[in-house]
Amino acid sequence: MAGAGGGGCPAGGNDFQWCFSQVKGAIDEDVAEADVISTVEFNYSGDLLATGDKGGRVVIFQREQENKSRPHSRGEYNVYSTFQSHEPEFDYLKSLEIEEKINKIRWLPQQNAAHFLLSTNDKTIKLWKISERDKRAEGYNLKDEDGRLRDPFRITALRVPILKPMDLMVEASPRRIFANAHTYHINSISVNSDHETYLSADDLRINLWHLEITDRSFNIVDIKPANMEELTEVITAAEFHPHQCNVFVYSSSKGTIRLCDMRSSALCDRHSKFFEEPEDPSSRSFFSEIISSISDVKFSHSGRYMMTRDYLSVKVWDLNMESRPVETHQVHEYLRSKLCSLYENDCIFDKFECCWNGSDSAIMTGSYNNFFRMFDRDTRRDVTLEASRESSKPRASLKPRKVCTGGKRKKDEISVDSLDFNKKILHTAWHPADNVIAVAATNNLYIFQDKIN
């Protein structure tokens, strides 16, 4: 198969090829922990792409305008702004270090010339404003050009300041800091479709914030038991519905998803809908509970479906059917026989994310060995691709990869035993309109796009 066809491709549903576009980041054998990318997010137009890393930095890439001389070439993404979003802190009450690592970034819909985004580490959410300046005022009355105050007795005439062009400066300034509302680590933030509120979720609670108010939030879900010894599950991810501002979902470590309606009560401890797939008793094992934990939940753009990712599979649910998913796609079924060693090296607790393409016809999620998987929902075909510098020549087509599980290995296949579990694609993002994807592989950001003939 050439690629994930139907993923919004123009040629009447023909398969297209994914090809290499760019890679950002140093070629380092010895990667510093701070440089590891921990989240990737396109903004609503897809013209900006933000990454956060374990060192608390946010890097924003901007898509260049398309080149008139090469009409078929898509604009490349180049660094637009880099800023330190979070610093390491120390909680003296609990004697705990709070990492600066960026857990999530969420863009706000653009309202004016500036861009706004929310970024969060384990405890503190910040609202950043990213704005441009390409003019400066000259000819102040009370100051010289170099900024020194003028002698008031020498000022004999009024000057009208004039605006002069200057080199473009992109400034990132923190506008709000939402702190001290979470006892446990924040795993999700999600901006509401009303563009005024957002939610933040940790292991046991979900809070609702107003973007203008930093000193209080409303606790809308609390699953903390009176006796912590009775704790059986934790919240793993939460997201607002894309169109209905009163609806949100959250997933749990038990593999269940609860859909809540904020109109029914202020505290949404009682869900409106409960999505769970009954377990097959024949496949039950020691690892069943661990691998059924949901690491990510995402609504489709249409709002009709939602997708959940657990350790071995990605599932698509119809919001009108709670009993079982309408689609189940195996991501790396060949790892089922390796669960024991994955448990020993802690990989079994890796949290893979998933994303939809712009038309909801294809989905993408990551795997090990720098592999990532795409599933075409219309044709039910899938493909495994690799983010590697070996195939990083401009416009080089990505060759589908195959994993061999036993017996004789074919020439192009890679054996399960030689997969590198230190190389994992946890974070991916799909452009909201075009076939452009961003894939984070350790400290490198790969950008791939469909081949335009």
Side-chain angles (χ1 to χ4, degrees):
M1 175 187 166
C9 60
N14 295 345
D15 285 354
F16 56 71
Q17 288 248 214
W18 285 99
C19 67
F20 172 82
S21 177
Q22 296 167 265
V23 59
K24 307 283 187 185
I27 310 175
D28 249 347
E29 286 306 304
D30 205 18
V31 178
E33 185 74 5
D35 295 334
V36 174
I37 297 172
S38 52
T39 184
V40 185
E41 189 79 9
F42 281 102
N43 75 338
Y44 281 75
S45 66
D47 291 336
L48 297 178
L49 172 63
T51 64
D53 64 24
K54 289 192 173 179
R57 291 179 299 263
V58 171
V59 181
I60 300 174
F61 301 92
Q62 183 183 45
R63 195 177 192 174
E64 299 297 322
Q65 293 302 310
E66 293 189 16
N67 195 332
K68 290 280 194 298
S69 60
R70 293 185 304 154
H72 289 303
S73 79
R74 293 257 179 75
E76 287 208 333
Y77 284 88
N78 292 319
V79 174
Y80 178 61
S81 175
T82 304
F83 58 93
Q84 187 72 31
S85 172
H86 286 68
E87 304 281 354
E89 292 175 62
F90 193 78
D91 184 337
Y92 291 97
L93 285 173
K94 298 195 179 112
S95 295
L96 281 178
E97 283 191 48
I98 301 168
E99 290 183 0
E100 64 272 42
K101 170 187 165 229
I102 308 293
N103 292 344
K104 286 282 186 287
I105 289 172
R106 289 290 178 264
W107 290 91
L108 273 59
Q110 194 176 358
Q111 312 278 5
N112 52 28
H115 296 273
F116 288 86
L117 62 82
L118 289 167
S119 64
T120 184
N121 67 348
D122 285 341
K123 297 286 181 191
T124 305
I125 305 156
K126 295 185 181 181
L127 174 68
W128 289 90
K129 177 184 181 182
I130 293 95
S131 51
E132 294 184 354
R133 266 220 330 243
D134 60 356
K135 293 186 175 64
R136 67 169 192 271
E138 273 190 11
Y140 287 105
N141 287 295
L142 303 177
K143 284 182 190 165
D144 277 333
E145 301 313 324
D146 53 11
R148 282 190 308 233
L149 282 173
R150 292 170 67 195
D151 179 356
F153 296 107
R154 297 242 174 102
I155 302 173
T156 55
L158 277 178
R159 295 198 282 186
V160 177
I162 53 170
L163 289 173
K164 289 221 173 144
M166 60 180 244
D167 289 342
L168 178 69
M169 260 178 63
V170 181
E171 296 175 317
S173 50
R175 298 311 299 266
R176 309 258 186 287
I177 295 177
F178 307 88
N180 307 324
H182 285 277
T183 313
Y184 307 97
H185 291 175
I186 299 171
N187 57 45
S188 305
I189 48 177
S190 176
V191 180
N192 198 346
S193 58
D194 64 9
H195 304 170
E196 289 184 0
T197 56
Y198 73 93
L199 65 74
S200 58
D202 66 24
D203 287 352
L204 298 179
R205 295 193 179 102
I206 301 176
N207 292 333
L208 179 68
W209 299 84
H210 193 286
L211 283 162
E212 301 290 331
I213 301 167
T214 57
D215 58 355
R216 67 175 181 273
S217 62
F218 295 97
N219 180 219
I220 52 174
V221 171
D222 187 349
I223 65 165
K224 185 179 179 182
N227 179 3
M228 279 296 268
E229 285 170 11
E230 292 165 12
L231 184 68
T232 58
E233 64 180 333
V234 294
I235 298 167
T236 54
E239 191 179 57
F240 266 121
H241 190 280
H243 313 304
Q244 296 167 8
C245 62
N246 51 291
V247 172
F248 67 94
V249 292
Y250 66 93
S251 58
S252 85
S253 55
K254 275 195 164 172
T256 62
I257 310 106
R258 291 170 175 84
L259 182 134
C260 301
D261 188 338
M262 294 193 293
R263 292 175 304 190
S264 54
S265 74
L267 192 62
C268 300
D269 284 357
R270 286 207 300 276
H271 47 266
S272 308
K273 292 188 176 182
F274 183 76
F275 300 84
E276 181 177 30
E277 185 168 31
E279 193 187 18
D280 177 7
S282 63
S283 63
R284 178 144 185 85
S285 73
F286 168 75
F287 304 109
S288 294
E289 201 155 295
I290 304 173
I291 63 172
S292 67
S293 176
I294 292 173
S295 54
D296 196 16
V297 58
K298 292 268 172 44
F299 277 108
S300 63
H301 295 84
S302 69
R304 170 74 190 270
Y305 300 97
M306 65 180 171
M307 162 170 56
T308 58
R309 170 73 208 257
D310 56 43
Y311 191 64
L312 293 179
S313 67
V314 59
K315 294 170 180 166
V316 176
W317 303 77
D318 186 323
L319 290 195
N320 300 329
M321 188 167 90
E322 299 165 61
S323 54
R324 63 175 194 278
V326 287
E327 294 166 34
T328 300
H329 304 279
Q330 300 303 335
V331 177
H332 36 217
E333 188 58 24
Y334 46 80
L335 294 182
R336 202 176 279 278
S337 59
K338 294 257 175 284
L339 292 176
C340 203
S341 52
L342 289 162
Y343 179 74
E344 283 164 6
N345 65 14
D346 273 358
C347 284
I348 202 166
F349 301 108
D350 285 334
K351 292 178 168 45
F352 290 96
E353 294 169 11
C354 51
C355 61
W356 299 86
N357 73 339
S359 62
D360 296 337
S361 62
I363 54 188
M364 168 171 63
T365 190
S367 180
Y368 293 102
N369 209 62
N370 278 358
F371 288 172
F372 57 99
R373 302 269 285 140
M374 288 183 171
F375 303 94
D376 185 309
R377 297 182 58 216
D378 301 330
T379 62
R380 289 303 170 103
R381 289 192 286 185
D382 60 87
V383 65
T384 302
L385 300 170
E386 182 183 7
S388 90
R389 285 190 181 261
E390 264 98 80
S391 57
S392 61
K393 292 185 187 67
R395 329 267 330 125
S397 293
L398 298 188
K399 282 208 273 300
R401 305 300 307 258
K402 287 222 162 37
V403 176
C404 142
T405 49
K408 270 196 77 178
R409 186 164 69 86
K410 296 200 186 94
K411 183 167 75 83
D412 288 342
E413 293 183 335
I414 178 167
S415 120
V416 175
D417 298 316
S418 55
L419 293 173
D420 186 344
F421 291 108
N422 292 318
K423 293 180 173 173
K424 44 192 117 174
I425 304 286
L426 301 175
H427 315 285
T428 58
W430 203 312
H431 189 288
D434 299 338
N435 283 313
V436 176
I437 54 174
V439 172
T442 322
N443 63 323
N444 290 309
L445 179 73
Y446 288 85
I447 297 172
F448 304 108
Q449 60 183 49
D450 58 337
K451 194 155 203 161
I452 304 171
N453 301 325

